[in-house]
Amino acid sequence: MMPLRVHGFNSQKLIVAIPWLWLAVFFVLPFLFILKISLSEPQLAMPPYQDWVREFEDGLLTISLNFGNYILLFEDDLYLHALLGSLKIAGISTLICILIGYPMAYAIARAPGHLRMPFLMLIILPFWTSFLLRVYAWIGILKDNGLLNQLLISIGLIDNPLQILHTPIAVYIGVVYSYLPFFVLPLYATLVRLDNTLLEAAADLGAQPLRQFLTITLPQSIPGIAAGGMLVFIPAMGEFVIPDLLGGPDTLMLGKLMWTEFFNNKDWPVASSLAAVLLVILIVPFVLFRHFEQKANEEDK
Amino acid sequence: MRDFISRNPLLFIFLIAGYAFLYLPIFSLIIYSFNESRLVTVWGGFSTKWYGELLDNAPLLNAAWLSIKIGALNATLAVILGTLAALALVRFRKSRGHKSLGVMVTAPLVMPEIIIGLSLLLLFVALEDLTGWPAGRGQTTILIAHATFSMAYVTVIVQSRLAHMDPSIEEAALDLGARPVRVFFTVTLPMIAPALAAGWLLAFTLSVDDLVIASFVSGPGSTTLPMVVYSSVRLGVSPQINALASVIIAVVSLAVVIASVIMYRSEKAAARS
């Protein structure tokens, strides 16, 4: 039944071992270095951190852990505001993605069979063009003399241009725009597999379409909403490009702050401790994502 | 189509509005790449001069070439690693490391790029300190970093293809006495080839598009295209970037059209036989 299994022990082991080792070395092991550097002291050299273990001339070894970086994160309001800012922007953007993406995924799932593939392609297609350039497109649309303001002024809705670029609104637009396809795809996969017999039964029993939707379709599609929502929420928490290009100086987010600490302040230990905090925060949504993704896939089998 | 619209007019309007939201920004990029004026969003007449300037922009072209090189190498590496991971996940459910591999392969899909970039940089610095490898950072370190996150996408694509494959053909080949390695190359591989092609293209795109991870793990002399675009975009809108965007969109659209035609034809051929 499983052809490669009979091939013997070794090739099977190798097939599992190669990707396993690659990911262990280049994906998991680096997290330990984040933890290590986050507990070290900064210094003006390259690399800009001190080792924990230092050997003195008399052969004495000392190990010094520096928890100062974490204490700083709690004491300085800046970091707390960045964390709250990230949570707020990622959370609200996820909700907007659900509001816009659910009807889209639902429409595609209800469309006649031969239209579903083209409709889906249209969702995926923007994803194949550069993310950076798609975010850049919004600068031209949202800036003071940009397309949106020109349009609103020309139809007489406003007299003076609205300041949208470099405000939180621009960041919401950017995040929703960039991550919408990630929400629509898993939700579509869930919706298209739903059992229609339940809906037919409900209709036969006289349930109105809205009631059918609320009592049958919506509850059944929750794994898809959750999986898609996490695909928006988790990357948005660490987003750097969007707040940097579309946000203003007061748009505080963890990803942007990490970038500044690392590249501008050359403070690797503080950047690492920020990364460690972000990682810990993301464990819960990640576990939820795995859970709902598996749940959504199980129904397939 | 008409039937679908008349039954669900509201849904259809929502769908069209959603598509408008996704596509209008892209169209605006293209339209204003032909704008004579430097002011990008103020129309000053039709011109193709920004495309000409793009061709004279040596740093940008060098960066584009580097990105394409890394992208192609990355895609090849990611397809190999991703296919192995997919085989391991679908076929060897009982083997050791199956569960942990599943977690490790899903995590890069959602992990913020900035964490992947920073953590890999720290690893490379520490490795160089300990072993002398990698000596400095550049193409190799970008390649490793890109392969690590793009293999996850390849795995997902190949995994679903493998899971939906009819096992009876492989079984028949085995029953007829073909060795498993031969079965893999003559039966399995051709059947998952479309997934491998899609995975290769996706891994290539992800690599060519990545700014954040490359910024962390690149070194002097290895500036990729997104890094050049980013430093230019930070200074404000520039018609040359619009021209670049239009070129990329044209290439992608062409590739999609060609891929669809090929897929359409092979499906037709399969249906006939």
Side-chain angles (χ1 to χ4, degrees):
Chain A
M1 166 111 192
M2 314 245 161
L4 285 159
R5 180 171 294 171
V6 287
H7 181 46
F9 195 59
N10 285 331
S11 73
Q12 174 180 336
K13 243 186 171 172
L14 205 63
I15 288 171
V16 182
I18 293 171
W20 196 95
L21 280 174
W22 181 284
L23 286 168
V25 172
F26 293 120
F27 187 69
V28 179
L29 185 64
F31 293 149
L32 299 181
F33 283 95
I34 283 197
L35 201 62
K36 181 189 167 211
I37 309 303
S38 74
L39 292 172
S40 63
E41 280 195 52
Q43 67 175 10
L44 282 171
M46 187 63 204
Y49 55 84
Q50 288 177 1
D51 226 328
W52 293 355
V53 184
R54 258 164 286 162
E55 195 177 345
F56 289 97
E57 279 167 15
D58 52 1
L60 199 68
L61 281 178
T62 61
I63 297 177
S64 66
L65 294 182
N66 175 23
F67 290 93
N69 303 313
Y70 288 98
I71 294 169
L72 177 75
L73 298 193
F74 282 103
E75 282 181 346
D76 194 332
D77 270 358
L78 180 71
Y79 302 101
L80 185 68
H81 284 306
L83 171 64
L84 295 178
S86 280
L87 279 172
K88 189 177 158 199
I89 287 174
I92 294 180
S93 303
T94 307
L95 284 179
I96 301 174
C97 274
I98 295 175
L99 292 178
I100 300 178
Y102 199 104
M104 290 183 80
Y106 189 69
I108 300 173
R110 299 306 291 283
H114 67 279
L115 286 177
R116 282 184 204 154
M117 266 327 274
F119 278 157
L120 265 189
M121 280 300 293
L122 283 174
I123 299 278
I124 301 168
L125 207 55
F127 179 75
W128 288 84
T129 61
S130 165
F131 162 73
L132 188 58
L133 291 173
R134 278 182 291 132
V135 175
Y136 161 76
W138 283 100
I139 301 180
I141 296 172
L142 298 177
K143 63 181 182 156
D144 287 0
N145 59 350
L147 294 173
L148 184 64
N149 275 317
Q150 285 178 31
L151 178 77
L152 291 177
I153 291 173
S154 70
I155 59 173
L157 217 56
I158 52 170
D159 294 324
N160 296 309
L162 299 171
Q163 156 96 43
I164 306 173
L165 190 63
H166 305 310
T167 69
I169 296 172
V171 180
Y172 288 122
I173 294 175
V175 174
V176 171
Y177 178 71
S178 305
Y179 290 103
L180 188 62
F182 291 98
F183 176 76
V184 173
L185 290 180
L187 179 61
Y188 163 80
T190 309
L191 285 173
V192 83
R193 284 201 298 256
L194 287 189
D195 192 358
N196 273 328
T197 51
L198 272 177
L199 284 177
E200 283 158 19
D204 287 347
L205 294 171
Q208 296 298 310
L210 183 67
R211 181 137 179 227
Q212 289 176 32
F213 175 79
L214 289 177
T215 54
I216 298 172
T217 311
L218 192 60
Q220 279 190 304
S221 59
I222 281 175
I225 299 177
M230 290 304 133
L231 278 180
V232 178
F233 181 81
I234 300 174
M237 277 295 289
E239 186 52 57
F240 159 73
V241 173
I242 298 170
D244 187 59
L245 292 181
L246 301 181
D250 53 340
T251 318
L252 280 176
M253 286 184 79
L254 282 177
K256 198 178 151 193
L257 195 59
M258 259 175 73
W259 183 282
T260 314
E261 291 290 358
F262 185 87
F263 286 103
N264 303 6
N265 305 343
K266 304 268 184 267
D267 195 334
W268 292 21
V270 165
S272 300
S273 46
L274 275 171
V277 168
L278 182 55
L279 264 176
V280 170
I281 293 170
L282 291 182
I283 286 176
V284 175
F286 177 69
V287 171
L288 281 176
F289 168 71
R290 286 272 303 172
H291 171 77
F292 283 112
E293 194 209 32
Q294 276 170 347
K295 205 170 165 186
N297 286 335
E298 267 164 23
E299 279 155 20
D300 192 21
K301 280 158 196 161
Chain B
M1 181 84 179
R2 199 168 291 162
D3 190 38
F4 169 60
I5 299 171
S6 62
R7 264 189 300 128
N8 314 286
L10 209 64
L11 266 186
F12 187 72
I13 292 170
F14 241 106
L15 192 60
I16 296 303
Y19 286 133
F21 174 58
L22 286 177
Y23 283 93
L24 285 181
I26 297 176
F27 290 142
S28 80
L29 274 184
I30 300 174
I31 292 168
Y32 282 94
S33 74
F34 294 107
N35 185 5
E36 171 82 38
S37 161
R38 182 170 285 281
L39 289 166
V40 181
T41 51
V42 181
W43 189 255
F46 182 86
S47 158
T48 53
K49 68 173 177 186
W50 305 112
Y51 290 87
E53 286 197 11
L54 199 61
L55 288 175
D56 292 331
N57 190 337
L60 189 135
L61 291 182
N62 288 337
W65 176 233
L66 179 71
S67 279
I68 292 171
K69 262 196 313 195
I70 295 178
L73 284 172
N74 162 67
T76 311
L77 189 56
V79 163
I80 295 170
L81 289 168
T83 307
L84 289 175
L87 278 172
L89 290 175
V90 177
R91 295 288 169 81
F92 309 137
R93 285 179 190 281
K94 292 196 178 65
S95 65
R96 271 184 68 193
H98 177 271
K99 242 192 143 141
S100 49
L101 183 65
V103 176
M104 285 197 293
V105 146
T106 341
L109 295 175
V110 290
M111 187 63 64
E113 293 167 320
I114 200 154
I115 293 184
I116 299 183
L118 175 65
S119 67
L120 269 169
L121 171 73
L122 298 178
L123 174 83
F124 289 141
V125 169
L127 271 181
E128 189 183 1
D129 207 28
L130 281 171
T131 66
W133 181 91
R137 285 171 299 283
Q139 290 186 38
T140 315
T141 47
I142 300 177
L143 177 63
I144 292 173
H146 281 180
T148 304
F149 82 95
S150 49
M151 73 172 275
Y153 289 83
V154 177
T155 308
V156 172
I157 295 174
V158 178
Q159 204 180 350
S160 87
R161 182 88 186 182
L162 275 174
H164 291 109
M165 213 172 96
D166 181 4
S168 59
I169 305 174
E170 286 180 336
E171 282 161 25
L174 284 170
D175 287 347
L176 292 172
R179 289 170 42 127
V181 179
R182 185 151 168 203
V183 173
F184 177 75
F185 281 103
T186 55
V187 178
T188 317
L189 207 55
M191 284 178 81
I192 61 172
L196 299 189
W200 195 96
L201 286 174
L202 184 59
F204 178 81
T205 312
L206 288 168
S207 167
V208 170
D209 196 23
D210 165 64
L211 166 73
V212 173
I213 297 175
S215 298
F216 277 98
V217 298
S218 79
S222 57
T223 309
T224 61
L225 184 61
M227 290 157 78
V228 174
V229 170
Y230 173 68
S231 52
S232 155
V233 163
R234 284 217 74 175
L235 304 173
V237 285
S238 131
Q240 259 196 55
I241 299 297
N242 283 58
L244 175 72
S246 309
V247 171
I248 293 178
I249 292 164
V251 171
V252 169
S253 314
L254 196 68
V256 169
V257 169
I258 292 173
S260 327
V261 169
I262 292 174
M263 266 174 66
Y264 179 71
R265 281 198 181 158
S266 67
E267 265 170 31
K268 251 187 148 178
R272 235 182 279 128
S273 60

